[in-house]
């Protein structure tokens, strides 16, 4: 077995190519210990490209190897992409958050990964480069193949960074989750919302919930219903109902029944929307 | 040898009450120096591994170990067919070291191997071929008791492992024409003790000394008796040497007998030390969790709130083998009856065999399961009668001088004060809007003669070392509760020295007095009393020898003796004088505490303990009605455990026990999928994290009880008992409806609020 701490993106890509499918890119690798170890590991945790958090030309850039702890406490993430900070703060334990990364959270492809749900809620796009130096940019929700399987092949491709439109004046985001225990527990449901208000009415909105399908699920029909409305009690009740109708969830012995999860998903999406709208309203008034 | 008198200005630590003395043992733990079972590694040690049944119920047709035995590095392979063993057990003899012709649960031990390393042992286990013929299984205890159910044991017809029917007073009359009858069905799932360190054992077979089991146990003597019986070894040839214990909570009273027996058998067969270390998954699938219980209970109450009688029909789920489940079932069925003045009771309890993990004991021995049922009924009755739950409890709770319905003699008792103190501290009269409040009370015995009517007490030795220090030899175990600190304080107070001058030795059965061990909340009261008596005996001997040395009578203070002529003598001087005068004997005090015989009779009526501890808990919760999520904000734990010897460790007991009570109330419980444990990991069997716990406020009502040493009583188990009833009552207060199945998960509460049909 070999373990390379890559000192440049170039070196990482070369190592992957030399590994001919047997080496794998990692950042954090907290869940890898639960699986069978690949022959070679290429650690991306210390690259400039994968660890940067910055806002340039109206776009936020977050390295894929940014740890959950860093994302949860970054002033930029807290002010411009609050849902991600909240999602990252909810993951596992402090030890996991200090090691695990947001890119890993997406490529690990668990259906209700907290950072991934927040990223989809924010409308994040991932920038990837493969061993032939070809780059592509994809919406995060389009990177899922099936349950717990990513479309990103870590033996051939490296996720470099996420690009997120920052929440500016009149915009807000929020993340919610519900689990049996307050830490170290997979969620029964998690949800994220991003909303833009204009004169108190919803101009743009993204609503996302999980676990339902392999990828965090956008609630397009509910989003449509919300457009043009104020986020008041009536809208919140309407969202609770609409979400439960739009999304189909399953029950499990370990987590909860399908019926209860169906109820929760409505409550959580509505709650995320409400918080996001409050933040949007506040940021507008404060001239943030 | 040059003798040096100890420092004269020793701080007066000796007083038992009120100190926060920390035993130096704590430092070896927090600095990582303590050696736990998991750390043990002896020269030439082999690694043992157990092959377990993948079926809940099956006939073993054939076990082929040829391939396993041929593997390089494999030193011993055991199968049930090759062992000539009689059934053994703790309460009921229904187990064999390895299954011979039948397996009865997923996890049942089928074969065992020892190999030079763990990897080889795992390979060898995989190489053993077993042919099974699946048999119909029964996993629900009520179904198991029905006619036509698959039978688990030929000599336990009807799948009844143990049962009891009991009538005291006149329950029939009590229920006739009653003002109010409240009735409900309560369920409590099986609960794992979730100690941090999984059980392990290194067994050594030595032709001269016999078998030594290097394993941490709460009751080493009880275990070595059983192991000696199974191995057919003389008792004096089976020893237990205890490393530091990574948590017990009742789960290590008898621990995992299969692990000790199989590691010993493998050591005998291979001629080398053998270590078996359970994995966490094995702990959850083949450990000994506490029984699940279904309690159907009704209570009759007069209009003024006076309890007139209660009836219960209880089914407890034994799993495939019994361990301590009969005794735990007995506690579930009766202990809680003695916390109130209930004149009449009628009880039926049946312990049913099912094709699931065998069960054992957990902190509080099932008293907490009964607390959940009884205390829920009390609040239901109070609500229907329009009475204050606090007033109803104060009206009915036992008081000094009472003899309870089961014959328990209530001595010093501060239950009334506990209730008032807990209610006051939680703000019972100034309840906050939007919060729910609940109360609950408990009684728990300080040692019980139910196990052995003839062996009721404890003994100890106190030895004066040549340097003037004191060593206490006891069979009472410390696994983090702080028993050794308390023992050092008791001895120190008796001998008028600092507790830091006292070392407590308990881990070697070769040298420790025989003991019942750490169970039934007996150690401080009964074991501590024996230590007090041993220290008193030693003190007498010291005085006598010191007077001989000084040529005049002496008095002692702060470990320094003074003769009437003013001559000062250090303990070390006296020790050395005796040492020379006897050519090497140590001065040793013997303490034997033998409680009086009891009137405890065949029907189980009578006083089972020399003293009882009492508690009242009050809880404040908040409920999110949109999800059913319950937040326990605050828990006040008021306890009468007599005079507290060490407030630091006593508070620690309350924090830990309440945390486990919160876990059992809100989170924990085995989930089964047709006999398979579905949540066999700490990721899915959810014990509370620090974030899930409320603010915990301990209150001590210190009423000295002459039964225990310096007025003290036990605390370790009762701390958990009232949590369940108090949380359930607070949840019901907040929700407006009552949940009668544990744990009180958000989903179950939400179902109750919404009036959903249960979907379990």
């Amino acid at each position: 077995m070999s373990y390379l701490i890559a000192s440049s993106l170039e070196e990482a890509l070369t190592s992957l190519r030399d590994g001919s499918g047997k080496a794998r890119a990692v950042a954090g690798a907290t869940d890898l210990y639960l699986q069978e170890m690949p022959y070679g590991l290429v650690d991306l945790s210390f690259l400039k490209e994968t660890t940067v958090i910055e806002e340039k030309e109206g776009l936020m850039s977050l390295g894929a190897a940014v740890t959950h702890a860093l994302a949860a406490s970054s002033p930029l993430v807290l002010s411009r992409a609050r849902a991600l900070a909240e999602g990252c703060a909810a993951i596992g334990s402090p030890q996991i958050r200090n090691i695990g990364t947001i890119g890993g959270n997406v490529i690990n492809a668990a259906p209700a990964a907290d950072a991934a749900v927040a990223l989809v809620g924010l409308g994040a796009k991932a920038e990837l480069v493969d061993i032939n130096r070809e780059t592509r940019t994809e919406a995060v929700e389009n990177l899922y193949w099936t349950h717990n399987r990513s479309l990103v092949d870590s033996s051939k491709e490296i996720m470099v960074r996420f690009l997120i439109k920052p929440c500016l004046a009149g915009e807000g985001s929020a993340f919610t989750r519900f689990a049996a225990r307050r830490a170290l527990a997979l969620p029964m449901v998690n949800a994220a919302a991003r909303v833009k208000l204009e004169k108190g009415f919803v101009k743009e909105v993204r609503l996302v919930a999980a676990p339902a399908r392999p990828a965090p699920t956008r609630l397009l029909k509910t989003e449509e219903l919300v457009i043009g409305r104020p986020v008041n009690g009536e809208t919140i009740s309407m969202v609770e109902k609409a979400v439960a109708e739009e999304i189909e969830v399953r029950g499990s012995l370990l987590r909860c029944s399908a019926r209860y999860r169906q109820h929760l998903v409505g409550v959580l999406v509505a709650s995320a929307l409400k918080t996001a709208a409050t933040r949007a309203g506040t940021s507008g008034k404060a001239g943030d | 040898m040059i003798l040096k008198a100890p420092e004269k200005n020793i701080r007066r630590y000796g007083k038992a009450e009120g100190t926060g003395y920390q035993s130096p043992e704590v430092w070896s733990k927090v600095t990582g120096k303590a050696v736990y079972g998991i750390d043990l590694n002896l020269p030439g040690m082999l690694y043992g591994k157990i092959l377990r049944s993948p079926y809940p119920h099956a006939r073993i047709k054939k076990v082929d170990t040829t391939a396993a035995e041929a593997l390089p590095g494999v030193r011993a392979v055991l199968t049930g067919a090759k062992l000539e063993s009689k059934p053994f057990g703790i309460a009921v003899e229904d187990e064999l070291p390895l299954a011979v012709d039948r397996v009865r649960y997923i996890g049942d031990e089928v074969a065992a191997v020892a190999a030079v390393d763990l990897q080889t042992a795992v390979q060898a286990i995989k190489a053993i071929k077993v042919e099974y013929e699946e048999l119909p299984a029964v996993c629900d205890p009520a179904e198991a008791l029905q006619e036509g159910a698959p039978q688990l044991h030929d000599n336990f017809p009807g799948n009844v492992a143990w049962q009891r029917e009991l009538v005291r007073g006149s329950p029939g009359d009590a229920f006739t024409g009653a003002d109010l009858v409240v009735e409900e069905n309560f369920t409590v799932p099986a609960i794992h003790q979730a100690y941090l360190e999984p059980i392990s054992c290194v067994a050594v077979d030595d032709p001269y000394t016999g078998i030594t089991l290097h394993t941490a146990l709460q009751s080493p003597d009880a275990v070595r008796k059983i192991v000696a019986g199974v191995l057919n070894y003389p008792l004096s040839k089976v020893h237990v040497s205890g490393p530091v214990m990574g948590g017990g909570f009742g789960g290590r009273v008898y621990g995992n007998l299969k692990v000790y027996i199989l590691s010993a058998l493998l050591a005998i067969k291979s001629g080398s030390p053998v270590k078996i270390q359970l994995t966490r998954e094995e702990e959850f699938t083949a450990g000994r969790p506490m029984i699940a219980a279904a309690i159907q209970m009704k209570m009759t109450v007069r209009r003024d709130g006076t309890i007139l009688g209660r009836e219960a029909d209880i089914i407890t789920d034994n799993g495939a083998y019994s361990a301590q489940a009969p005794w735990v079932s007995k506690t579930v069925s009766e202990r809680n009856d003695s916390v109130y003045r209930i004149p009449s009771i009628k009880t039926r309890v049946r312990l049913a065999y099912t094709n699931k993990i065998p069960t054992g004991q957990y902190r509080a021995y099932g008293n907490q399961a009964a607390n959940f049922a009884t205390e829920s009924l009390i609040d239901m009755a109070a609500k229907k009668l329009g009475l204050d739950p606090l007033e109803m409890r104060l009206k009915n709770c036992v008081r000094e001088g009472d003899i309870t319905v089961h014959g328990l003699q209530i001595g010093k008792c501060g239950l009334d004060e506990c209730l008032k103190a807990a209610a006051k501290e939680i703000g019972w009269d100034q309840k906050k809007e939007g919060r729910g409040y609940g109360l609950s009370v408990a009684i728990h015995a300080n040692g019980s003669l139910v196990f052995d009517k003839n062996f009721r007490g404890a003994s100890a030795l106190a030895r004066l070392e040549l340097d003037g220090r004191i060593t206490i030899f006891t069979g009472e175990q410390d696994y983090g509760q702080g028993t050794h600190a308390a023992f050092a304080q008791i001895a120190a107070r008796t001998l008028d020295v600092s507790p830091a001058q006292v070392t407590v030795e308990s881990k070697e059965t070769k040298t420790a007095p025989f003991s019942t061990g750490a169970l039934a909340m007996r150690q401080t009261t009964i074991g501590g009393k024996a230590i007090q008596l041993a220290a008193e005996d030693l003190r007498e001997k010291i005085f006598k020898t010191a007077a001989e040395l000084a040529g005049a009578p002496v008095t002692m203070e702060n470990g320094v003796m003074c003769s009437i002529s003013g001559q000062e003598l250090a303990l070390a001087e006296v020790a050395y004088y005796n040492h020379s005068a006897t050519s090497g004997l140590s001065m040793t005090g013997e303490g034997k505490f033998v409680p009086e015989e009891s009137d405890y009779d065949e029907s189980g009526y009578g006083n089972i303990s020399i003293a009882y501890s009492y508690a009242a808990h009050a809880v404040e919760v908040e409920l999110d009605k949109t999800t059913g999520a319950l937040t326990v904000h605050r828990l006040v734990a008021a306890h009468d455990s007599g005079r507290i010897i060490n407030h630091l460790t006593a508070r620690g007991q309350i924090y830990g026990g309440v945390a486990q009570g919160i876990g059992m109330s809100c989170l924990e419980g085995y989930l089964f999928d047709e006999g398979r444990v579905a949540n066999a990991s700490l990721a899915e069997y959810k014990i509370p994290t620090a974030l899930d716990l409320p603010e915990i406020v301990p209150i001590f009502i210190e009423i000295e009880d002459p039964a225990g040493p310096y007025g003290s009583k036990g605390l370790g188990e009762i701390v958990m008992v009232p949590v369940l009833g108090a949380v359930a009552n607070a949840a019901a207060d907040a929700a407006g409806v009552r949940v009668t199945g544990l744990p009180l998960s958000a989903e179950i509460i939400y179902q109750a609020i919404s009036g959903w049909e249960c979907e379990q």
Side-chain angles (χ1 to χ4, degrees):
Chain A
M1 187 188 155
S2 73
Y3 194 100
L4 174 79
I5 297 175
S7 54
S8 71
L9 197 55
E10 190 54 36
E11 187 189 24
L13 288 166
T14 308
S15 310
L16 285 184
R17 197 184 51 210
D18 294 349
S20 329
K22 285 182 184 164
R24 187 175 162 174
V26 291
T30 50
D31 272 29
L32 193 66
Y33 295 113
L34 306 173
Q35 306 160 14
E36 203 167 322
M37 276 289 167
Y39 167 75
L41 294 175
V42 179
D43 191 335
L44 309 175
S45 305
F46 303 95
L47 303 181
K48 191 168 164 282
E49 296 92 329
T50 58
T51 53
V52 71
I53 300 179
E54 61 184 10
E55 189 178 338
K56 248 186 359 205
E57 292 155 21
L59 213 52
M60 262 179 81
S61 174
L62 263 98
V66 164
T67 63
H68 304 306
L70 194 59
S73 60
S74 151
L76 193 63
V77 179
L78 279 163
S79 64
R80 303 287 211 240
R82 185 72 175 269
L84 182 62
E86 288 173 331
C88 287
I91 290 168
S93 61
Q95 293 91 331
I96 294 289
R97 293 196 290 274
N98 283 335
I99 300 281
T101 62
I102 51 176
N105 201 252
V106 171
I107 296 177
N108 193 43
D114 296 302
V117 166
L119 285 167
V120 175
L122 287 161
K125 290 186 167 60
E127 205 179 276
L128 302 111
V129 54
D130 71 12
I131 50 174
N132 301 319
R133 285 23 176 206
E134 283 183 27
T135 59
R136 61 173 176 141
T137 304
E138 297 279 355
V140 171
E141 60 267 40
N142 294 338
L143 293 175
Y144 290 75
W145 179 18
T146 178
H147 282 96
N148 301 304
R149 293 288 293 276
S150 174
L151 281 173
V152 179
D153 180 348
S154 300
S155 68
K156 293 196 181 75
E157 201 171 19
I158 286 174
M159 184 182 280
V160 182
R161 64 176 74 86
F162 295 100
L163 301 170
I164 303 172
K165 251 175 63 196
C167 290
L168 300 172
E171 283 187 282
S173 73
F175 169 89
T176 51
R177 92 199 293 267
F178 194 80
R181 177 163 72 179
R182 288 193 166 84
L184 286 167
L186 291 174
M188 295 178 209
V189 171
N190 54 5
R194 173 181 186 144
V195 65
K196 183 172 189 178
L197 298 181
E198 211 173 74
K199 294 179 183 146
F201 294 88
V202 175
K203 179 97 191 305
E204 288 169 25
V205 67
R206 286 178 70 92
L207 301 174
V208 171
R213 294 199 276 264
T217 306
R218 264 192 79 181
L219 301 153
L220 297 166
K221 283 186 193 161
T222 310
E223 288 175 7
E224 255 176 64
L225 288 175
V226 175
I227 296 285
R229 298 180 62 99
V231 182
N232 54 18
E234 198 187 320
T235 304
I236 291 300
S237 305
M238 185 195 76
V239 167
E240 281 184 17
K241 252 206 209 131
V243 169
E245 274 167 30
E246 181 174 356
I247 197 168
E248 196 174 328
V249 294
R250 283 183 292 185
S252 77
L253 177 62
L254 288 178
R255 227 54 78 214
C256 60
S257 69
R259 187 179 179 186
Y260 181 61
R261 186 172 262 164
Q262 201 80 37
H263 164 75
L264 279 181
V265 73
V267 171
L268 266 83
V269 171
S271 159
L273 173 63
K274 196 175 162 190
T275 308
T278 307
R279 286 174 184 159
T282 320
S283 71
K285 275 173 208 143
D288 191 338
Chain B
M1 178 185 276
I2 300 165
L3 292 176
K4 198 175 149 214
E7 295 283 328
K8 304 284 185 196
N9 58 347
I10 296 162
R11 270 179 60 201
R12 196 178 173 83
Y13 279 117
K15 293 288 174 214
E17 60 266 352
T19 75
Y21 171 64
Q22 258 184 20
S23 165
E25 279 175 303
V26 171
W27 290 102
S28 70
K29 287 182 183 172
V30 300
T31 55
K33 290 188 177 116
V35 176
Y36 291 86
I38 206 163
D39 301 319
L40 289 181
N41 191 358
L42 299 187
M45 188 178 87
L46 305 176
Y47 293 80
K49 197 77 194 158
I50 298 168
L51 177 67
R52 300 178 180 281
S53 165
Y55 299 108
H57 200 185
R59 196 167 297 289
I60 298 176
K61 293 177 74 181
K62 197 177 160 198
V63 183
D64 182 359
T65 59
T66 328
E69 279 168 81
L71 271 179
V74 172
R75 294 291 160 78
V77 180
L78 297 175
T79 60
K82 287 182 196 156
L83 297 171
E84 285 174 11
S85 303
K86 285 180 298 194
F88 70 91
I90 299 165
V92 174
E93 293 184 341
D94 59 5
E95 291 197 69
L96 289 168
L98 291 168
V100 176
D101 54 0
R102 242 165 111 185
V103 285
R104 296 180 175 85
Y105 78 99
I106 297 172
D108 212 344
E109 293 83 356
V110 175
V113 303
V116 289
D117 55 46
L118 190 58
Q119 208 178 357
T120 310
V122 171
Q123 273 177 0
I125 284 297
K126 286 182 184 160
I128 297 173
K129 293 184 190 75
V130 187
E131 273 180 47
Y132 294 99
E133 177 196 331
E134 266 194 88
L135 296 171
V138 60
C139 296
D140 180 77
E143 280 172 28
L145 293 174
Q146 275 164 23
E147 220 169 292
Q151 299 292 299
L152 268 79
H153 295 270
D154 298 342
N155 42 348
F156 293 91
N159 290 323
V160 178
W162 177 86
Q163 65 180 326
R164 187 172 188 229
E165 287 189 44
L166 193 63
V167 173
R168 301 203 199 280
S170 352
D173 296 348
F175 279 88
T176 312
D179 287 347
L180 175 71
V181 175
V182 281
E183 184 173 6
E184 194 50 81
N185 296 329
F186 301 92
T187 56
V188 179
I191 298 285
H192 197 278
Q193 303 85 355
Y195 30 73
L196 195 57
E197 183 201 18
I199 286 175
S200 71
C201 179
V202 181
V204 179
D205 181 35
D206 181 275
Y208 181 57
T209 53
I211 292 278
T212 302
L213 303 171
H214 294 273
T215 189
L217 284 160
Q218 292 176 239
S219 295
D221 285 311
V223 168
R224 79 188 174 97
K225 255 170 116 172
I226 292 176
V227 173
V230 174
L231 301 180
N232 202 16
Y233 266 47
L235 185 57
S236 64
K237 291 279 186 189
V238 178
H239 312 284
V240 175
S241 173
V244 175
M245 192 187 298
F249 313 116
R252 274 189 169 97
V253 170
Y254 288 89
N256 195 312
L257 288 170
K258 294 291 184 83
V259 169
Y260 318 133
I261 291 167
L262 291 173
S263 57
L265 286 168
L266 288 168
I268 293 168
K269 183 151 190 198
S270 67
S272 301
V274 174
K275 180 179 195 170
I276 295 182
Q277 169 74 63
L278 292 182
T279 63
R280 182 66 66 186
E281 191 186 0
E282 283 177 302
E283 274 290 355
F284 276 113
T285 54
R288 294 293 182 270
M290 188 174 84
I291 49 168
I295 304 170
Q296 195 184 328
M297 192 182 274
K298 62 180 178 180
M299 191 179 275
T300 172
V301 183
R302 204 190 287 149
R303 192 161 288 116
D304 67 356
T306 308
I307 302 170
L308 299 175
R310 79 119 191 83
E311 284 184 16
D313 193 351
I314 301 166
I315 296 176
T316 47
D317 188 349
N318 199 24
Y321 306 99
S322 291
Q324 303 101 309
W327 299 338
V328 177
S329 300
K330 187 169 183 289
T331 303
V332 173
S333 73
E334 70 175 45
R335 185 70 66 253
N336 216 256
D337 300 338
S338 289
V339 77
Y340 292 115
R341 293 167 162 167
I342 305 177
S344 301
I345 60 114
K346 184 178 168 192
T347 303
R348 176 166 76 153
V349 54
R350 290 172 292 167
L351 175 64
Y353 280 115
T354 56
N355 292 107
K356 292 192 303 206
I357 181 170
T359 50
Q361 74 187 73
Y362 183 32
R363 190 177 198 165
Y365 230 75
N367 192 357
Q368 67 271 55
N371 175 278
F372 170 54
T374 314
E375 292 296 310
S376 294
L377 283 184
I378 297 271
D379 266 37
M380 286 163 66
K383 193 173 178 184
K384 286 205 166 149
L385 293 169
L387 298 172
D388 178 359
L390 171 63
E391 291 306 320
M392 184 159 166
R393 285 181 173 79
L394 286 169
K395 189 177 194 66
N396 289 286
C397 70
V398 289
R399 286 171 169 81
E400 188 175 350
D402 284 0
I403 294 180
T404 75
V405 69
H406 294 291
L408 272 50
Q409 292 167 18
I410 305 300
K412 292 290 175 197
C413 172
L415 183 53
D416 179 287
E417 289 95 319
C418 285
L419 258 171
K420 288 173 184 160
K424 184 170 179 228
E425 179 61 35
I426 204 75
W428 192 255
D429 292 331
Q430 307 109 41
K431 291 178 183 159
K432 292 177 204 152
E433 197 61 34
R435 298 282 166 98
Y437 293 82
L439 287 171
S440 168
V441 296
I443 182 172
H444 209 71
N446 284 227
S448 168
L449 52 79
V450 172
F451 305 109
D452 186 346
K453 239 185 120 169
N454 298 316
F455 192 108
R456 302 182 293 276
S459 57
L461 299 173
R463 186 167 79 192
L464 178 63
E465 304 294 345
L466 272 184
D467 55 9
R469 290 180 56 84
I470 312 293
T471 306
I472 299 291
F473 294 91
T474 170
E476 313 298 345
Q477 302 300 314
D478 189 327
Y479 47 99
Q481 332 91 303
T483 327
H484 283 185
F487 289 167
Q489 285 177 271
I490 290 166
R493 175 167 169 160
T494 311
L495 288 159
D496 219 344
V497 298
S498 152
Q501 270 174 270
V502 181
T503 304
V504 181
E505 295 281 351
S506 67
K507 308 265 183 220
E508 302 289 334
T509 55
K510 275 180 194 165
T511 48
F514 195 97
S515 163
T516 308
L519 63 122
M521 215 164 73
R522 56 178 289 288
Q523 290 205 125
T524 301
T525 318
I526 294 176
K529 192 81 175 181
I531 285 161
Q532 184 189 342
L533 295 174
E536 280 173 7
D537 187 38
L538 177 61
R539 186 184 166 102
E540 286 311 306
K541 287 178 177 162
I542 291 170
F543 276 165
K544 202 168 151 244
T545 310
E548 216 175 285
L549 177 60
V554 294
T555 57
M556 179 158 85
E557 198 174 333
N558 290 352
V560 178
M561 274 157 295
C562 191
S563 74
I564 42 172
S565 60
Q567 184 191 354
E568 284 199 343
L569 285 171
L571 278 173
E573 286 177 85
V574 181
Y576 196 77
Y577 171 77
N578 178 74
H579 174 74
S580 305
T582 62
S583 284
L585 283 182
S586 298
M587 237 188 273
T588 307
E590 283 185 5
K592 51 177 192 293
F593 176 50
V594 183
E596 281 174 31
E597 277 189 52
S598 156
D599 58 345
Y600 185 72
D601 67 20
E602 292 291 306
S603 81
Y605 181 91
N607 198 32
I608 60 162
S609 181
I610 58 163
Y612 302 91
S613 299
Y614 307 89
H617 287 190
V619 170
E620 180 192 321
V621 303
E622 189 175 3
L623 184 69
D624 176 353
K625 289 197 175 179
T626 62
T627 59
L630 189 71
T631 304
V632 184
H633 283 295
R634 200 152 181 264
L635 188 146
V636 180
H639 284 262
D640 168 15
S641 284
R643 180 69 69 195
I644 298 299
I645 294 205
N646 189 319
H647 283 102
L648 181 72
T649 53
R651 281 198 303 272
Q653 287 281 35
I654 288 181
Y655 299 140
V658 167
Q660 290 180 314
I662 294 287
M664 195 167 166
S665 304
C666 303
L667 290 165
E668 292 179 46
Y670 267 73
L671 295 170
F672 289 99
D673 182 8
E674 291 302 306
R676 185 183 64 85
V677 179
N679 54 345
S681 70
L682 283 172
E684 295 301 354
Y685 182 98
K686 292 189 173 60
I687 59 172
T689 68
L691 296 176
D692 299 287
L693 296 176
E695 179 199 354
I696 300 165
V697 185
I699 293 175
F700 296 107
I701 304 296
E702 299 195 38
I703 298 171
E704 286 194 12
D705 191 315
Y710 299 110
S712 69
K713 292 194 285 199
L715 177 68
E717 294 195 67
I718 193 170
V719 288
M720 184 170 177
V721 180
V723 180
L724 282 79
V727 171
N729 285 334
D733 184 39
V737 287
R738 183 167 288 276
V739 175
T740 56
L742 292 182
L744 303 177
S745 69
E747 176 169 10
I748 303 279
I749 293 176
Y750 186 78
Q751 282 178 0
I753 298 171
S754 317
W756 289 2
E757 286 300 310
C758 193
E759 294 186 9
Q760 295 297 300

